[in-house]
């Protein structure tokens, strides 16, 4: 009989004697502050005086809740069939984007880099880009290559249009392969800016190459009735949910940018670089749809301007539809755009979720919450909280704009549950830490990056948004639609109930809640 193999987790492993000695030796070598000094500094960082200093800083950012533009561009590229994301810049940047997405989705993220080094920084990266395009075609056989940039290429002013044209002239890449490109400097904007720039570039490039003229509402050549955009969407389950809703309407549609296949691929024993995605041939035809419905608006502003301007198409844009009222607007918008009646099965599903909300309302009413996320997600979360009686207290949006802030404040002002809310744009998670400590709340909702501030403030964290690194498979569950409202409700109320059990003193350790 084989001996049992003991594999300690890292919490247990690092408490063993060799590691304890190693840490003590490291501390002695580094000559750190005394325990008393450390305790005093920690206590001061939790004071109101420190909070005021924290919010007064202007030249330092500590843990902003946003990622770089090229990361969003990479996600946009993976929304189209047989498309290879090509990042013009350093190899290390590309590794960061790939690992960031892979840690969230628990899936490999295919992308290549022009691998610029010191020579490229001085003389420009044209040769790197041309060689990279040629190698990419030879090795990975893409049908489209989507090029974005990092800081290095942007700082030295590399001209992507000219470089790609030179690559075609030299025969490194044929004229048959579309090469949309987007300038995505990491020192401005965020991941949603990069997503928007790349999505617009892909749609415009494929449309121009087709040579067709947009005839909105004709459905010519496809019979498609509706275009749908989900935007920078970290939940593959949301793609499945919108398909379920559209299937209930029995309407034709095209999802413009469907990366769910690449980030939720099956384990069959064989790996492919390309899974699913919007068909390239369907993009020009999408200009003939009745209209375009976007489930995000702040993350696809340029794209929607292009569709309404160049395609001359009706667009309906909303922030992430979380909860009953937001989903009602989503369903009504589909009905208005397509001219189809609302399916009875969706009405029935709505009723079941409303019933669930009523069941849980006593535990949600009056709970105070802090929210962190991207603009569209936060608008959805604010509306969801208000409709179930949860009071948003602190809201931090690192990549928010004034338009977002005004919309958020208007939503909050329309409800008695929003009376105490403060909305902070451009602030970071170190600001949120001060807010949580100075004015405590019952719950925090945000990505995995919020866990450190939440732990310091002893606040339970409900993980919603991007990125979620320290929990598995949450991205597979939808948060939009009526089913998504039920999923959010279940997560939030059960976190509250778990807290009641943990805080019970014996006589109130109830069997039924």
């Amino acid at each position: 009989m084989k001996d049992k193999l003991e594999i300690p987790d890292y919490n247990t492993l690092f408490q063993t004697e060799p590691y304890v000695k190693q840490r003590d030796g490291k501390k002695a070598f580094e000559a750190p502050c005394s325990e008393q000094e450390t305790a005093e500094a920690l206590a001061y960082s939790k004071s109101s005086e420190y909070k005021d200093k924290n919010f007064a800083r202007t030249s330092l950012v500590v843990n902003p809740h946003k990622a770089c533009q090229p990361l969003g561009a990479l996600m946009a590229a993976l929304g189209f069939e047989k498309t290879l994301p090509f990042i013009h810049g350093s190899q290390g940047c590309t590794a960061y984007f790939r690992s960031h997405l892979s840690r969230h989705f628990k899936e490999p993220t295919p992308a290549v880099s022009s691998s610029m080094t010191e020579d490229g920084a001085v003389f420009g990266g044209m040769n790197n880009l041309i060689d990279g395009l040629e190698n990419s075609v030879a090795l990975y056989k893409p049908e489209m290559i989507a090029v974005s940039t990092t800081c290095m290429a942007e700082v030295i002013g590399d001209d992507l249009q000219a470089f790609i044209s030179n690559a075609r002239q030299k025969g490194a890449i044929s004229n048959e392969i579309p090469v949309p490109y987007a300038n995505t400097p990491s020192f401005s904007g965020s991941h949603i800016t990069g997503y928007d720039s790349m999505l617009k570039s892909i749609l415009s490039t494929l449309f121009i190459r087709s040579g067709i003229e947009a005839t909105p509402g004709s459905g010519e050549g496809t019979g498609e009735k509706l275009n749908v955009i989900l935007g920078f969407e970290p939940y593959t389950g949301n793609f499945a949910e919108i398909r379920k809703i559209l299937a209930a309407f029995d309407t034709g549609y095209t999802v413009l940018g469907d990366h769910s296949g690449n980030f939720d691929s099956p384990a069959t024993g064989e790996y492919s670089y390309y899974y699913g995605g919007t068909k390239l041939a369907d993009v020009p035809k999408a200009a003939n749809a009745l209209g375009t419905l976007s489930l995000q608006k702040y993350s696809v502003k340029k794209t929607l301007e292009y569709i309404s301007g160049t395609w001359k198409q009706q667009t309906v844009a909303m922030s992430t539809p979380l909860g009953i009222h937001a989903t009602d607007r989503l369903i009504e918008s589909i009905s208005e755009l397509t001219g189809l009646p609302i399916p009875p099965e969706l009405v029935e599903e709505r009723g079941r979720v409303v019933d669930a909300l009523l069941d849980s309302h006593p535990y949600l009413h009056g709970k105070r919450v802090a929210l962190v996320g991207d603009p569209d997600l936060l608008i959805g979360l604010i509306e969801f909280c208000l409709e179930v009686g949860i009071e948003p207290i602190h809201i931090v949006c690192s990549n928010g704009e004034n338009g977002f802030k005004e919309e958020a404040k208007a939503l909050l002002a329309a409800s008695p549950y929003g009376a105490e809310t403060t909305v902070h744009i451009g602030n970071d998670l170190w600001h949120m830490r001060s807010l949580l400590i100075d004015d405590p709340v019952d719950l925090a909702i945000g990505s995995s990056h919020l866990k450190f501030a939440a732990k310091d403030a002893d606040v339970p964290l409900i993980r919603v948004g991007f990125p979620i690194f320290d929990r598995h498979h949450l991205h597979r569950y939808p948060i939009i639609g009526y089913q998504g409202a039920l999923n959010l409700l279940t997560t939030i109320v059960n976190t509250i109930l778990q807290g009641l059990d943990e805080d019970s003193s014996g006589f109130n350790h109830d069997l039924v809640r």
Side-chain angles (χ1 to χ4, degrees), residues 322-329 349-351 353-354 357 383-384 387 481-482 485:
L322 307 183
I324 299 297
H325 290 104
T327 302
D328 289 348
R329 290 196 300 274
E349 183 183 23
R350 181 188 192 275
V353 179
V354 170
L357 289 169
E383 188 165 10
F384 178 83
E387 79 177 14
Y482 299 126

Side-chain angles (χ1 to χ4, degrees), residues 228-406:
V228 180
I229 297 174
L230 276 78
F232 186 93
E233 180 51 77
Y235 287 84
T236 56
N238 283 350
F239 286 90
E241 186 64 18
I242 194 64
R243 287 193 192 96
K244 185 192 81 174
I245 292 171
L246 292 167
F249 275 93
D250 193 24
T251 182
Y253 63 91
T254 300
V255 176
L256 296 177
D258 181 359
H259 51 262
S260 61
N262 275 305
F263 289 123
D264 194 13
S265 58
T268 61
E270 295 183 5
Y271 175 69
S272 171
Y273 299 113
Y274 314 110
Y275 291 93
T278 304
K279 293 185 180 302
L280 304 188
D282 287 346
V283 172
K285 298 173 185 177
N288 299 330
L290 289 172
T292 295
L293 173 65
S294 180
L295 275 60
Q296 293 181 12
K297 59 183 180 181
Y298 292 103
S299 69
V300 288
K301 291 170 69 174
K302 294 177 184 176
T303 301
L304 291 174
E305 288 173 1
Y306 169 78
I307 290 173
S308 61
T310 301
W311 291 2
K312 297 181 173 25
Q313 199 170 100
Q314 180 183 2
T315 61
V316 175
M318 61 187 67
S319 289
T320 311
L322 307 183
I324 299 297
H325 290 104
T327 302
D328 289 348
R329 290 196 300 274
L330 169 65
I331 302 301
E332 289 163 1
S333 296
I334 295 173
S335 178
E336 290 169 5
L337 284 168
T338 61
L340 297 170
I342 295 174
E345 57 262 45
L346 295 180
V347 177
E348 184 178 343
E349 183 183 23
R350 181 188 192 275
R352 288 196 299 270
V353 179
V354 170
D355 181 65
L357 289 169
L358 290 171
D359 293 340
S360 300
H361 182 262
Y363 291 99
L364 303 177
H365 178 78
K367 288 289 184 276
R368 292 159 52 88
V369 67
L371 305 174
V372 169
D374 291 335
D376 287 302
L377 177 64
L378 283 175
I379 292 296
L381 285 172
I382 290 169
E383 188 165 10
F384 178 83
C385 288
L386 295 178
E387 79 177 14
V388 300
I390 294 175
E391 300 179 14
I393 302 299
H394 311 302
I395 298 174
V396 168
C397 186
S398 294
N399 52 354
E401 302 172 349
N402 287 327
F404 157 77
K405 188 173 185 178
E406 292 169 5

Side-chain angles (χ1 to χ4, degrees), residues 79-130:
F80 295 83
E81 69 168 350
K82 296 184 179 177
T83 296
L84 183 67
F86 186 110
I87 298 169
H88 181 46
S90 67
Q91 196 167 8
C93 290
T94 306
Y96 154 58
F97 309 138
R98 294 180 65 191
S99 65
H100 213 70
L101 291 166
S102 293
R103 286 168 177 166
H104 174 82
F105 291 107
K106 305 296 185 280
E107 294 282 351
T109 303
V112 297
S113 168
S114 59
S115 301
M116 289 175 64
T117 56
E118 291 84 352
D119 286 350
V122 175
F123 301 109
M126 184 174 72
N127 291 334
N128 292 68
L129 188 139
I130 292 174

Side-chain angles (χ1 to χ4, degrees), residues 78 119 155 162 190 268 271 362 383 408 426 437 440 459 465 469 493:
L78 291 176
D119 286 350
V155 166
S190 71
T268 61
Y271 175 69
E383 188 165 10
I437 292 169
V459 177
F469 291 156
V493 74

